[in-house]
Every structure is written in C-alpha cells, then in structure tokens.
C-alpha cells in the first residue's frame, strides 16, 4: 500500500460506475413542486451557466472547459436529452442529462440539484423522473458514475435507487479553480493548494 503524490495544482477522485440492468418496479412518483423542462439544443452559454450553478460545489468542470463547437455537438445531438429542473418561480435549480448515444444503453450523464435543496426529497423525485425517461426507450442498461468529490451521500443514494456498483477508477486533473474555470471559493471541502496562475 502506498500513497501517490499529486502536483499542488491537481485534484484526484475515486470514480465509481454504477448500473441498473433491469427496469425498476413501478412506484408512485415522489411529490415535488419542481418540474422538468426539456432544453432542446441549448445555447452553450445557457447550458454552462446551469452546469456551473449545480456543479461548482462538486468541482464539475468538463463542460466548462469545452470549446463551443464540441459542447454544441453533444447537447444538440438528438440522442442527448438535456433538462432543467425548475422551481415554482421558474428559477432553474437543477439539471438532468440523459445520453442515449450508445445503442441499448442510457447514461445519466449529469444529475444534480443546487445544494440548498439537499435532504428535502427532491433528489428522489428527480431520480424517478430520470429512470422513467431512461427506460422509456429500448434499453437494457442505465448507468451513471459518481466520485469522491460529489455530495457525500451520492453513492449511497444511487445504490438505494437500485443501482449496483460495477467499476472503480481513479481520476486526476488540473484543479479547475486554479485554471480559472470555477471561482476559488467553489468546493470549499476540497482544499485549494495553489492560487490561480
């Protein structure tokens, strides 16, 4: 057993891939005042604004680092469905992205609510929505991944929804706060060892 050092401007996470290979039994939809709004072909800046709002606390940065044409190619693909989660006032407070680009499978690519909504049952509502939409097509596998940078309850939440962990990997990357993709105060639970260049 040993420790592997990282440069001060890098972060590491253990990524767990989870899957569901059978349609879950029908259950009553959890109650929530939130609603899903499909974003067909969202503009890159609009997409990134919501992505950063829900993902910055967990150091989500991949879509912030993409060029507009690369991001557009993904989120405008007819097999990728992007949804905003909207509250009663019409404020976007979460996102769901379902990726059907692999035949017979659906990846829940992004699934998040703003941190202020944690612990209120809205996650169960959003997952029920996600699973209903994911299994509506001819799929035999729905999968997602989470990592040690995500909400501390994320892994157990996914397992409680019927997902089974099937793979674990280690990911290292340049700290997006140092790169200027996220503000320095994002994800305060992850110490920032180097200030922006």
């Amino acid at each position: 057993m040993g420790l592997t050092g990282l440069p001060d401007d890098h972060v590491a996470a253990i990524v767990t891939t989870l899957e569901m290979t059978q349609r879950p039994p029908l259950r009553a939809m959890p109650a929530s005042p939130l609603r899903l709004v499909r974003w067909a072909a969202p503009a890159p800046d609009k997409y990134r604004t919501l992505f950063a709002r829900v993902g910055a606390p967990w150091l989500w940065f991949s879509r912030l680092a993409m060029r507009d044409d690369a991001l557009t190619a993904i989120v405008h693909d007819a097999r990728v469905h992007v949804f905003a989660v909207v509250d009663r006032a019409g404020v976007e407070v979460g996102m769901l992205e379902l990726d059907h680009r692999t035949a017979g499978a659906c990846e829940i690519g992004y699934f998040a609510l703003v941190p202020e909504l944690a612990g209120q049952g809205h996650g169960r509502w959003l997952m029920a929505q996600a699973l209903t939409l994911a299994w509506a097509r001819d799929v035999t596998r729905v999968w997602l991944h989470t990592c040690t940078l995500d909400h501390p309850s994320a892994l157990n939440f996914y397992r409680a929804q019927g997902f089974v962990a099937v793979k674990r990997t280690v990911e290292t990357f340049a700290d997006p706060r140092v790169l200027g993709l996220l503000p320095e105060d994002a994800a305060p639970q992850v110490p920032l060892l180097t200030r922006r260049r």
Side-chain angles (χ1 to χ4, degrees), residues 37-64:
V37 175
R38 172 85 188 274
W39 278 4
D45 58 336
K46 181 178 179 179
Y47 178 94
R48 285 191 188 103
T49 297
L50 182 56
F51 185 90
R53 184 181 308 144
V54 301
W58 321 114
L59 289 186
W60 289 11
F61 73 95
S62 61
R63 299 287 174 85
L64 304 176

mmCIF file of all heavy atoms in Angstrom, residues 37-64:
data_model
loop_
_atom_site.group_PDB
_atom_site.id
_atom_site.type_symbol
_atom_site.label_atom_id
_atom_site.label_comp_id
_atom_site.label_asym_id
_atom_site.label_seq_id
_atom_site.Cartn_x
_atom_site.Cartn_y
_atom_site.Cartn_z
ATOM 1 N N VAL A 37 -38.000 20.725 -17.453
ATOM 2 C CA VAL A 37 -38.214 21.441 -18.705
ATOM 3 C C VAL A 37 -37.140 20.986 -19.675
ATOM 4 O O VAL A 37 -35.937 21.127 -19.395
ATOM 5 C CB VAL A 37 -38.135 22.972 -18.494
ATOM 6 C CG1 VAL A 37 -38.246 23.694 -19.831
ATOM 7 C CG2 VAL A 37 -39.197 23.439 -17.516
ATOM 8 N N ARG A 38 -37.565 20.408 -20.787
ATOM 9 C CA ARG A 38 -36.606 19.918 -21.792
ATOM 10 C C ARG A 38 -35.964 21.094 -22.499
ATOM 11 O O ARG A 38 -36.650 22.027 -22.927
ATOM 12 C CB ARG A 38 -37.333 19.017 -22.797
ATOM 13 C CG ARG A 38 -36.492 18.601 -23.989
ATOM 14 C CD ARG A 38 -35.646 17.384 -23.705
ATOM 15 N NE ARG A 38 -34.707 17.098 -24.778
ATOM 16 C CZ ARG A 38 -34.969 16.384 -25.859
ATOM 17 N NH1 ARG A 38 -36.170 15.850 -26.022
ATOM 18 N NH2 ARG A 38 -34.051 16.185 -26.769
ATOM 19 N N TRP A 39 -34.645 21.054 -22.583
ATOM 20 C CA TRP A 39 -33.900 22.051 -23.331
ATOM 21 C C TRP A 39 -33.440 21.401 -24.626
ATOM 22 O O TRP A 39 -32.430 20.708 -24.659
ATOM 23 C CB TRP A 39 -32.675 22.508 -22.552
ATOM 24 C CG TRP A 39 -32.924 23.548 -21.507
ATOM 25 C CD1 TRP A 39 -34.117 24.063 -21.122
ATOM 26 C CD2 TRP A 39 -31.927 24.177 -20.705
ATOM 27 N NE1 TRP A 39 -33.940 24.988 -20.129
ATOM 28 C CE2 TRP A 39 -32.589 25.077 -19.851
ATOM 29 C CE3 TRP A 39 -30.552 24.070 -20.623
ATOM 30 C CZ2 TRP A 39 -31.911 25.859 -18.926
ATOM 31 C CZ3 TRP A 39 -29.874 24.850 -19.704
ATOM 32 C CH2 TRP A 39 -30.544 25.743 -18.873
ATOM 33 N N ALA A 40 -34.171 21.596 -25.688
ATOM 34 C CA ALA A 40 -33.752 21.082 -26.989
ATOM 35 C C ALA A 40 -32.730 22.062 -27.559
ATOM 36 O O ALA A 40 -33.003 23.251 -27.664
ATOM 37 C CB ALA A 40 -34.949 20.949 -27.919
ATOM 38 N N ALA A 41 -31.556 21.587 -27.869
ATOM 39 C CA ALA A 41 -30.487 22.390 -28.476
ATOM 40 C C ALA A 41 -30.182 23.665 -27.686
ATOM 41 O O ALA A 41 -30.283 24.773 -28.200
ATOM 42 C CB ALA A 41 -30.849 22.730 -29.922
ATOM 43 N N PRO A 42 -29.789 23.516 -26.405
ATOM 44 C CA PRO A 42 -29.484 24.719 -25.621
ATOM 45 C C PRO A 42 -28.236 25.437 -26.122
ATOM 46 O O PRO A 42 -27.303 24.803 -26.620
ATOM 47 C CB PRO A 42 -29.258 24.174 -24.210
ATOM 48 C CG PRO A 42 -28.821 22.757 -24.418
ATOM 49 C CD PRO A 42 -29.568 22.287 -25.634
ATOM 50 N N ALA A 43 -28.233 26.739 -25.995
ATOM 51 C CA ALA A 43 -27.049 27.531 -26.341
ATOM 52 C C ALA A 43 -25.942 27.193 -25.342
ATOM 53 O O ALA A 43 -26.220 26.975 -24.159
ATOM 54 C CB ALA A 43 -27.377 29.015 -26.273
ATOM 55 N N PRO A 44 -24.696 27.151 -25.794
ATOM 56 C CA PRO A 44 -23.595 26.784 -24.899
ATOM 57 C C PRO A 44 -23.516 27.639 -23.635
ATOM 58 O O PRO A 44 -23.294 27.113 -22.544
ATOM 59 C CB PRO A 44 -22.344 26.957 -25.762
ATOM 60 C CG PRO A 44 -22.824 26.767 -27.163
ATOM 61 C CD PRO A 44 -24.224 27.333 -27.170
ATOM 62 N N ASP A 45 -23.706 28.957 -23.758
ATOM 63 C CA ASP A 45 -23.593 29.808 -22.573
ATOM 64 C C ASP A 45 -24.711 29.540 -21.567
ATOM 65 O O ASP A 45 -24.478 29.503 -20.356
ATOM 66 C CB ASP A 45 -23.535 31.289 -22.958
ATOM 67 C CG ASP A 45 -24.741 31.759 -23.746
ATOM 68 O OD1 ASP A 45 -25.408 30.931 -24.399
ATOM 69 O OD2 ASP A 45 -25.023 32.982 -23.727
ATOM 70 N N LYS A 46 -25.912 29.302 -22.051
ATOM 71 C CA LYS A 46 -27.040 28.977 -21.165
ATOM 72 C C LYS A 46 -26.781 27.642 -20.461
ATOM 73 O O LYS A 46 -26.987 27.510 -19.251
ATOM 74 C CB LYS A 46 -28.333 28.909 -21.989
ATOM 75 C CG LYS A 46 -29.564 28.599 -21.169
ATOM 76 C CD LYS A 46 -30.823 28.595 -22.046
ATOM 77 C CE LYS A 46 -32.044 28.269 -21.225
ATOM 78 N NZ LYS A 46 -33.268 28.279 -22.016
ATOM 79 N N TYR A 47 -26.323 26.664 -21.224
ATOM 80 C CA TYR A 47 -26.024 25.351 -20.660
ATOM 81 C C TYR A 47 -24.937 25.465 -19.584
ATOM 82 O O TYR A 47 -25.063 24.935 -18.486
ATOM 83 C CB TYR A 47 -25.576 24.397 -21.771
ATOM 84 C CG TYR A 47 -25.205 23.032 -21.261
ATOM 85 C CD1 TYR A 47 -26.133 22.006 -21.247
ATOM 86 C CD2 TYR A 47 -23.932 22.767 -20.775
ATOM 87 C CE1 TYR A 47 -25.802 20.750 -20.765
ATOM 88 C CE2 TYR A 47 -23.584 21.524 -20.290
ATOM 89 C CZ TYR A 47 -24.526 20.518 -20.283
ATOM 90 O OH TYR A 47 -24.188 19.288 -19.794
ATOM 91 N N ARG A 48 -23.863 26.172 -19.903
ATOM 92 C CA ARG A 48 -22.744 26.286 -18.964
ATOM 93 C C ARG A 48 -23.148 27.021 -17.691
ATOM 94 O O ARG A 48 -22.642 26.717 -16.610
ATOM 95 C CB ARG A 48 -21.564 26.999 -19.622
ATOM 96 C CG ARG A 48 -20.825 26.133 -20.602
ATOM 97 C CD ARG A 48 -19.506 26.809 -21.008
ATOM 98 N NE ARG A 48 -18.873 26.082 -22.080
ATOM 99 C CZ ARG A 48 -18.889 26.453 -23.350
ATOM 100 N NH1 ARG A 48 -19.522 27.564 -23.724
ATOM 101 N NH2 ARG A 48 -18.280 25.723 -24.257
ATOM 102 N N THR A 49 -24.032 27.995 -17.792
ATOM 103 C CA THR A 49 -24.475 28.720 -16.601
ATOM 104 C C THR A 49 -25.143 27.772 -15.614
ATOM 105 O O THR A 49 -24.839 27.787 -14.417
ATOM 106 C CB THR A 49 -25.432 29.866 -17.001
ATOM 107 O OG1 THR A 49 -24.719 30.797 -17.817
ATOM 108 C CG2 THR A 49 -25.987 30.578 -15.778
ATOM 109 N N LEU A 50 -26.049 26.932 -16.116
ATOM 110 C CA LEU A 50 -26.720 25.980 -15.226
ATOM 111 C C LEU A 50 -25.746 24.905 -14.752
ATOM 112 O O LEU A 50 -25.744 24.532 -13.575
ATOM 113 C CB LEU A 50 -27.919 25.344 -15.933
ATOM 114 C CG LEU A 50 -28.735 24.358 -15.096
ATOM 115 C CD1 LEU A 50 -29.243 25.003 -13.800
ATOM 116 C CD2 LEU A 50 -29.890 23.796 -15.911
ATOM 117 N N PHE A 51 -24.905 24.427 -15.643
ATOM 118 C CA PHE A 51 -23.907 23.411 -15.294
ATOM 119 C C PHE A 51 -23.039 23.911 -14.136
ATOM 120 O O PHE A 51 -22.792 23.191 -13.164
ATOM 121 C CB PHE A 51 -23.055 23.110 -16.527
ATOM 122 C CG PHE A 51 -22.058 22.004 -16.347
ATOM 123 C CD1 PHE A 51 -22.398 20.694 -16.632
ATOM 124 C CD2 PHE A 51 -20.764 22.276 -15.921
ATOM 125 C CE1 PHE A 51 -21.472 19.668 -16.490
ATOM 126 C CE2 PHE A 51 -19.834 21.264 -15.777
ATOM 127 C CZ PHE A 51 -20.191 19.957 -16.058
ATOM 128 N N ALA A 52 -22.573 25.143 -14.217
ATOM 129 C CA ALA A 52 -21.738 25.705 -13.154
ATOM 130 C C ALA A 52 -22.536 25.912 -11.870
ATOM 131 O O ALA A 52 -22.024 25.670 -10.772
ATOM 132 C CB ALA A 52 -21.112 27.021 -13.619
ATOM 133 N N ARG A 53 -23.779 26.356 -11.998
ATOM 134 C CA ARG A 53 -24.591 26.603 -10.806
ATOM 135 C C ARG A 53 -24.773 25.333 -9.983
ATOM 136 O O ARG A 53 -24.653 25.342 -8.774
ATOM 137 C CB ARG A 53 -25.959 27.176 -11.190
ATOM 138 C CG ARG A 53 -26.802 27.544 -9.961
ATOM 139 C CD ARG A 53 -28.177 28.100 -10.328
ATOM 140 N NE ARG A 53 -28.067 29.179 -11.285
ATOM 141 C CZ ARG A 53 -28.950 29.396 -12.265
ATOM 142 N NH1 ARG A 53 -30.000 28.606 -12.413
ATOM 143 N NH2 ARG A 53 -28.806 30.394 -13.086
ATOM 144 N N VAL A 54 -25.078 24.231 -10.652
ATOM 145 C CA VAL A 54 -25.330 22.989 -9.910
ATOM 146 C C VAL A 54 -24.059 22.184 -9.661
ATOM 147 O O VAL A 54 -23.989 21.399 -8.718
ATOM 148 C CB VAL A 54 -26.393 22.098 -10.593
ATOM 149 C CG1 VAL A 54 -27.707 22.839 -10.721
ATOM 150 C CG2 VAL A 54 -25.920 21.562 -11.925
ATOM 151 N N GLY A 55 -23.023 22.378 -10.482
ATOM 152 C CA GLY A 55 -21.850 21.527 -10.383
ATOM 153 C C GLY A 55 -20.643 22.119 -9.681
ATOM 154 O O GLY A 55 -19.767 21.373 -9.235
ATOM 155 N N ALA A 56 -20.565 23.438 -9.565
ATOM 156 C CA ALA A 56 -19.388 24.058 -8.944
ATOM 157 C C ALA A 56 -19.100 23.531 -7.534
ATOM 158 O O ALA A 56 -17.936 23.323 -7.198
ATOM 159 C CB ALA A 56 -19.526 25.581 -8.937
ATOM 160 N N PRO A 57 -20.130 23.277 -6.709
ATOM 161 C CA PRO A 57 -19.821 22.762 -5.367
ATOM 162 C C PRO A 57 -19.110 21.409 -5.379
ATOM 163 O O PRO A 57 -18.527 21.001 -4.379
ATOM 164 C CB PRO A 57 -21.203 22.642 -4.712
ATOM 165 C CG PRO A 57 -22.068 23.599 -5.452
ATOM 166 C CD PRO A 57 -21.557 23.565 -6.868
ATOM 167 N N TRP A 58 -19.159 20.713 -6.514
ATOM 168 C CA TRP A 58 -18.564 19.372 -6.616
ATOM 169 C C TRP A 58 -17.422 19.347 -7.625
ATOM 170 O O TRP A 58 -16.986 18.298 -8.051
ATOM 171 C CB TRP A 58 -19.657 18.356 -6.981
ATOM 172 C CG TRP A 58 -20.933 18.655 -6.262
ATOM 173 C CD1 TRP A 58 -22.122 19.045 -6.808
ATOM 174 C CD2 TRP A 58 -21.140 18.642 -4.842
ATOM 175 N NE1 TRP A 58 -23.048 19.276 -5.819
ATOM 176 C CE2 TRP A 58 -22.470 19.042 -4.600
ATOM 177 C CE3 TRP A 58 -20.323 18.343 -3.750
ATOM 178 C CZ2 TRP A 58 -23.015 19.134 -3.312
ATOM 179 C CZ3 TRP A 58 -20.857 18.447 -2.474
ATOM 180 C CH2 TRP A 58 -22.185 18.838 -2.263
ATOM 181 N N LEU A 59 -16.958 20.526 -8.009
ATOM 182 C CA LEU A 59 -15.860 20.705 -8.965
ATOM 183 C C LEU A 59 -16.171 20.163 -10.355
ATOM 184 O O LEU A 59 -15.275 19.735 -11.079
ATOM 185 C CB LEU A 59 -14.545 20.098 -8.446
ATOM 186 C CG LEU A 59 -13.875 20.826 -7.288
ATOM 187 C CD1 LEU A 59 -12.520 20.189 -6.982
ATOM 188 C CD2 LEU A 59 -13.706 22.310 -7.560
ATOM 189 N N TRP A 60 -17.439 20.195 -10.775
ATOM 190 C CA TRP A 60 -17.753 19.862 -12.164
ATOM 191 C C TRP A 60 -17.118 20.932 -13.052
ATOM 192 O O TRP A 60 -17.324 22.124 -12.828
ATOM 193 C CB TRP A 60 -19.251 19.889 -12.400
ATOM 194 C CG TRP A 60 -20.054 18.802 -11.795
ATOM 195 C CD1 TRP A 60 -19.669 17.871 -10.876
ATOM 196 C CD2 TRP A 60 -21.432 18.544 -12.066
ATOM 197 N NE1 TRP A 60 -20.721 17.056 -10.562
ATOM 198 C CE2 TRP A 60 -21.812 17.450 -11.282
ATOM 199 C CE3 TRP A 60 -22.371 19.136 -12.902
ATOM 200 C CZ2 TRP A 60 -23.101 16.925 -11.295
ATOM 201 C CZ3 TRP A 60 -23.653 18.631 -12.921
ATOM 202 C CH2 TRP A 60 -24.021 17.525 -12.130
ATOM 203 N N PHE A 61 -16.405 20.502 -14.047
ATOM 204 C CA PHE A 61 -15.765 21.487 -14.914
ATOM 205 C C PHE A 61 -15.675 21.053 -16.372
ATOM 206 O O PHE A 61 -15.407 21.869 -17.243
ATOM 207 C CB PHE A 61 -14.347 21.796 -14.414
ATOM 208 C CG PHE A 61 -13.374 20.682 -14.679
ATOM 209 C CD1 PHE A 61 -12.576 20.698 -15.809
ATOM 210 C CD2 PHE A 61 -13.290 19.598 -13.821
ATOM 211 C CE1 PHE A 61 -11.694 19.662 -16.069
ATOM 212 C CE2 PHE A 61 -12.413 18.565 -14.071
ATOM 213 C CZ PHE A 61 -11.608 18.596 -15.195
ATOM 214 N N SER A 62 -15.894 19.776 -16.675
ATOM 215 C CA SER A 62 -15.617 19.266 -18.020
ATOM 216 C C SER A 62 -16.316 20.063 -19.113
ATOM 217 O O SER A 62 -15.709 20.409 -20.129
ATOM 218 C CB SER A 62 -15.999 17.790 -18.122
ATOM 219 O OG SER A 62 -17.387 17.625 -17.869
ATOM 220 N N ARG A 63 -17.563 20.384 -18.915
ATOM 221 C CA ARG A 63 -18.311 21.109 -19.952
ATOM 222 C C ARG A 63 -17.936 22.601 -19.984
ATOM 223 O O ARG A 63 -18.168 23.272 -20.976
ATOM 224 C CB ARG A 63 -19.824 20.937 -19.750
ATOM 225 C CG ARG A 63 -20.284 19.465 -19.839
ATOM 226 C CD ARG A 63 -20.243 18.971 -21.262
ATOM 227 N NE ARG A 63 -20.531 17.567 -21.447
ATOM 228 C CZ ARG A 63 -21.736 17.031 -21.557
ATOM 229 N NH1 ARG A 63 -22.819 17.772 -21.444
ATOM 230 N NH2 ARG A 63 -21.869 15.739 -21.778
ATOM 231 N N LEU A 64 -17.353 23.092 -18.894
ATOM 232 C CA LEU A 64 -16.900 24.480 -18.872
ATOM 233 C C LEU A 64 -15.621 24.644 -19.687
ATOM 234 O O LEU A 64 -15.349 25.719 -20.220
ATOM 235 C CB LEU A 64 -16.643 24.935 -17.431
ATOM 236 C CG LEU A 64 -17.817 24.803 -16.463
ATOM 237 C CD1 LEU A 64 -17.395 25.204 -15.054
ATOM 238 C CD2 LEU A 64 -19.018 25.617 -16.925
#
